[in-house]
Amino acid sequence: MNKIIVFICFYFPLFSSCLQLQGIVSKFISPNIAQLFAYGNLTLIIIGVVLFKDKVETLSKTNKLWFVFYFMYYSFAILATGINGVRSSIIATLVPLIYFIGFFFLLSNKEQFRLFFKVITVSFVISSFLTIILFKINFSLGGSGQFATFDLDRAGGVYGDANNAALANIIAFILFHKLYYPSKPIYRLIKMLILAIIFYSLFLTFSTTGLFVFTIILFLTNYKFFTGIRLILFGVVIVLFYMGVFALKSQTKDLNLSDAQIYKIDNIINVLTLNLDKVDSSGRDDLLINVLYYLYESPFIGNGVDFAVSMKGHNTYVGIWVDAGVFTFLFFVFMLCYYLAKTFTLNMQIRYFALSLLIALYIFMISLQTVINQPYLVVLFIFVGYIIDYRKSNDGQLDFLYRK
């Protein structure tokens, strides 16, 4: 299969999803054209699967669990939709499934597995840079999509949402940290600079969840550092960090920040200092309570396809239970635990890489419903699944991840 065709059929839709090009087209050109753009991407992936069938190699057994999940979800949710009379756009929910199927076959190919890693890393890093640019020009892609008449309190990036942007920045940090291994000091300096820019992009989101997850990811991605005397140094750094946290808390009113930004910093400090009783959930607890009512009403078969999204529950785990019942929920939790357990069978160099991706996704699923609804995030599970299954192979699929 021609490399250009692979790029057009698979990587262009992936790049489009990661940078939310459909949303940009909708805001600046036309919602109708944006819809055609989305259908065009899905068509490209379907064509790509048909043309790529001869290049498919060993398929991931771990990733096949997702097909069981999708079967259970749609079986129960469609039944619930019919019983409860819920109006839902079932076709729209098939978008991540089609992407999943496409990249499930694509990443079975060793060459495409490596190329995918490069393409998705570049896509997320570009997203991080755009988050900074959009914030600095005071442009919001959320809501009506226009230059704000007041200074933005938080960066939403190309996603128009601060928490989604925070997750994208964390993913960018993990992927770029693993992908780029410079040998010369000048290039190592460039790598550190790019990672610092990605962190700055994350900071501009003022995401409580994002900063909390980042502290975990920073430890996991630098696991080699925490041995011997370095572990003692890390303890010193932690002490200095918390001294800085308290110093920042006392100086927030002098940093020319808005009231909303000061409030978010105080909230982040409350999380980092484990002062959890003062942590504000930004109204998500009220939304969750509202959704739980419907969970109690129909706990076994659920309420219908994408019902929790329409109710804005902001929780993937509860959302699956509300949509498709307790049995689908239990299988989903089992599947996530299976992925997590399998990462501990990996070599140390790639164990913490895979673990970092999963932890970021798992924690954000507590406050977001987009993790399994967005193609650019769903494909990360496929990537990790192939990493898990390739561990038994001696064909060198993972050699590029073992570089020091």
Side-chain angles (χ1 to χ4, degrees), residues 220-344:
L220 291 175
T221 54
N222 294 279
Y223 71 94
K224 286 185 178 180
F225 181 85
F226 306 113
T227 57
I229 189 64
R230 291 176 178 177
L231 188 59
I232 298 175
L233 293 175
F234 176 68
V236 174
V237 170
I238 288 295
V239 173
L240 293 175
F241 171 74
Y242 277 99
M243 289 175 62
V245 165
F246 288 115
L248 178 63
K249 184 177 179 66
S250 65
Q251 297 296 322
T252 50
K253 296 188 182 299
D254 299 324
L255 295 177
N256 195 30
L257 300 176
S258 69
D259 291 340
Q261 290 172 335
I262 293 174
Y263 182 76
K264 290 301 295 183
I265 288 179
D266 288 342
N267 205 43
I268 292 168
I269 290 172
N270 287 330
V271 171
L272 296 177
T273 56
L274 300 180
N275 197 11
L276 302 181
D277 60 319
K278 294 184 178 180
V279 175
D280 178 64
S281 62
S282 301
R284 285 186 174 82
D285 49 353
D286 295 329
L287 292 172
L288 183 59
I289 291 173
N290 183 45
V291 170
L292 287 176
Y293 167 79
Y294 295 97
L295 186 151
Y296 299 141
E297 285 289 303
S298 183
F300 295 106
I301 66 170
N303 293 271
V305 177
D306 240 16
F307 180 82
V309 172
S310 65
M311 298 301 296
K312 299 181 175 163
H314 287 283
N315 187 302
T316 299
Y317 303 102
V318 174
I320 289 171
W321 192 341
V322 170
D323 284 357
V326 65
F327 301 111
T328 306
F329 165 75
L330 290 175
F331 183 82
F332 182 70
V333 172
F334 161 76
M335 180 176 66
L336 297 184
C337 291
Y338 183 83
Y339 269 77
L340 196 64
K342 284 296 183 179
T343 59
F344 289 96

Side-chain angles (χ1 to χ4, degrees), residues 338-376:
Y338 183 83
Y339 269 77
L340 196 64
K342 284 296 183 179
T343 59
F344 289 96
T345 66
L346 300 171
N347 180 282
M348 191 75 73
Q349 290 191 38
I350 56 177
R351 178 189 305 168
Y352 291 105
F353 169 61
L355 195 59
S356 296
L357 289 172
L358 291 181
I359 286 177
L361 294 169
Y362 288 6
I363 294 179
F364 267 94
M365 279 196 279
I366 297 174
S367 60
L368 290 177
Q369 293 178 221
T370 55
V371 175
I372 63 171
N373 293 339
Q374 292 297 329
Y376 67 92

